[in-house]
Amino acid sequence: LKDEDDKDLATRREKYYKDKFKPLTKWLKKLYGMSVMRVVVSKRLVNTPAIASSAEFGHSANMERIMRAQAYSHGQHDISMRSMKIFELNPRHPLILRLLEGAPPEDDENFKVASEIEDAAWILHEMALLNGGFPLSDPDAHTKRMMRFMQSQLGVESLALVPEPDLPVQEEVPPEFDEEDLDDALPKRPKGTSPEDAIPLTPDENGNLHFEL
């Protein structure tokens, strides 16, 4: 009886989530276009906001990379090489709930989605693709979105480069050395080659010079 109650509760929750998130799933499918086959509410996610997985009869992420590389090498377009992906949303995750708030209602075609909501939806899509092992279809657009995100988070008003500094011409001043620095800088003579190391020699009574080695 407990199993039947649990199953009934799961069924009711599934229907509730499907109806509640229908505006979001519909908008995301339109936004993502052909990059995903469909957008659904997931039954298995716990902590992750979303995942991208292969459809039942689609090829894996690794197979997609191989096929796209082959298409590029032959000068072909890679559209047909992309796998059929299912984009799954976690209905309990705060990020998904926030996207739901910003998604257009089903009966309002003139609703204008805020740019930050759209950027967040794309970043979520790209995160799910990367976590699933799939390549990004547009790395340049991903980079621009991340730049806008960083600009917003860091409070940077403009991304325009600051001008190069106009520095005055400085005269070259020779370095100053004291006597100790100068002594250290001069090369050292081998022992026995300086005048101070000379051994005085005095001839004996016969006029011969003798010295010890």
Side-chain angles (χ1 to χ4, degrees), residues 44-142:
R44 54 179 173 164
L45 294 181
V46 179
N47 297 318
T48 308
I51 61 170
S53 58
S54 299
E56 183 178 357
F57 299 104
H59 43 262
S60 65
N62 188 47
M63 181 58 68
E64 178 179 339
R65 286 195 298 270
I66 295 173
M67 295 177 67
R68 292 179 71 172
Q70 291 176 343
Y72 281 129
S73 65
H74 291 85
Q76 300 174 354
H77 204 284
D78 68 338
I79 281 287
S80 60
M81 306 301 172
R82 298 177 186 177
S83 63
M84 296 182 292
K85 306 177 190 69
I86 307 298
F87 194 76
E88 302 183 37
L89 304 176
N90 185 344
R92 299 173 58 200
H93 200 283
L95 293 179
I96 302 302
L97 293 171
R98 180 65 185 91
L99 285 179
L100 177 62
E101 294 176 3
E106 284 189 275
D107 55 354
D108 190 353
E109 297 181 356
N110 298 321
F111 185 86
K112 179 63 176 177
V113 178
S115 59
E116 58 269 20
I117 293 293
E118 187 169 331
D119 275 350
W122 275 114
I123 291 174
L124 181 71
H125 173 264
E126 290 154 352
M127 286 170 49
L129 289 180
L130 292 174
N131 288 336
F134 296 100
L136 298 180
S137 58
D138 194 346
D140 290 338
H142 171 71

Side-chain angles (χ1 to χ4, degrees), residues 121-195:
W122 275 114
I123 291 174
L124 181 71
H125 173 264
E126 290 154 352
M127 286 170 49
L129 289 180
L130 292 174
N131 288 336
F134 296 100
L136 298 180
S137 58
D138 194 346
D140 290 338
H142 171 71
T143 300
K144 291 177 181 178
R145 275 189 286 273
M146 296 308 296
M147 290 287 285
R148 287 196 297 268
F149 173 77
M150 293 177 64
Q151 180 182 3
S152 173
Q153 292 298 307
L154 297 177
V156 178
E157 293 184 0
S158 173
L159 294 180
L161 299 181
V162 299
E164 293 278 10
D166 188 10
L167 304 176
V169 178
Q170 295 182 350
E171 296 182 1
E172 295 187 3
V173 179
E176 297 181 358
F177 293 98
D178 54 23
E179 293 183 1
E180 294 182 359
D181 294 334
L182 189 59
D183 291 341
D184 293 337
L186 293 176
K188 302 296 183 181
R189 292 183 179 182
K191 186 176 182 181
T193 59
S194 65

